Amino acid sequence: MNIPSELKYTKDHEWVKIDGDVATVGITDFAQGELGDIVYVEVETLDETLDKDEVFGTVEAVKTVSDLFLPLSGEIIEFNESLEDEPEKVNTDPYGDGWMIKIKISDVSQAQELMSDADYKDLIGG
């Protein structure tokens, strides 16, 4: 199970990479494994400002559809448009080419509430 130590994590299985006041968000290797083959990623909240824990989109796998929850409050400034044609990138490279959105963070202090890689491993029993 791949859980990079430089990232932060949520109880909803999103990963967060913070660079200044911009956060890149995707779902974890564990989450994509649980979902199975991902066939569609939908994010209709581009350019919207949402609060932490609000739904920013959905990911659709062969057997299920799952909501995606915003890990930090802020404005969604970018969507990984390559996922429109190649949603399987979330399965093959969840921490790289399979990233989903970028957020302009409105409250950087919320990052302290995110989990470390060790905390996330404990959550999933890894």
Side-chain angles (χ1 to χ4, degrees):
M1 181 80 41
N2 185 9
I3 304 175
S5 60
E6 71 276 10
L7 302 176
K8 296 293 185 185
Y9 300 89
T10 72
K11 64 179 174 28
D12 298 308
H13 309 289
E14 279 101 15
W15 60 263
V16 183
K17 179 180 181 185
I18 298 173
D19 185 11
D21 64 351
V22 174
T24 303
V25 179
I27 64 169
T28 65
D29 189 29
F30 174 82
Q32 70 79 21
E34 292 291 301
L35 287 167
D37 292 338
I38 293 171
V39 296
Y40 191 65
V41 177
E42 181 175 48
V43 174
E44 293 186 348
T45 51
L46 189 61
D47 299 325
E48 291 183 24
T49 299
L50 301 175
D51 290 328
K52 180 180 180 221
D53 297 327
E54 281 194 84
V55 174
F56 72 82
T58 56
V59 61
E60 183 176 337
V62 174
K63 298 178 188 168
T64 188
V65 175
S66 186
D67 286 336
L68 298 166
F69 298 95
L70 202 62
L72 300 163
S73 298
E75 179 185 357
I76 298 173
I77 57 171
E78 192 174 340
F79 168 61
N80 184 354
E81 293 182 4
S82 71
L83 297 181
E84 290 179 347
D85 295 325
E86 298 177 87
E88 65 275 6
K89 285 182 179 181
V90 176
N91 291 116
T92 58
D93 192 10
Y95 302 113
D97 290 340
W99 67 273
M100 294 182 174
I101 61 166
K102 292 190 179 182
I103 308 164
K104 175 102 166 132
I105 305 168
S106 56
D107 182 357
V108 178
S109 72
Q110 289 179 343
Q112 297 169 354
E113 299 168 26
L114 297 171
M115 292 193 272
S116 68
D117 58 318
D119 292 338
Y120 186 69
K121 281 178 192 168
D122 288 345
L123 176 76
I124 62 172

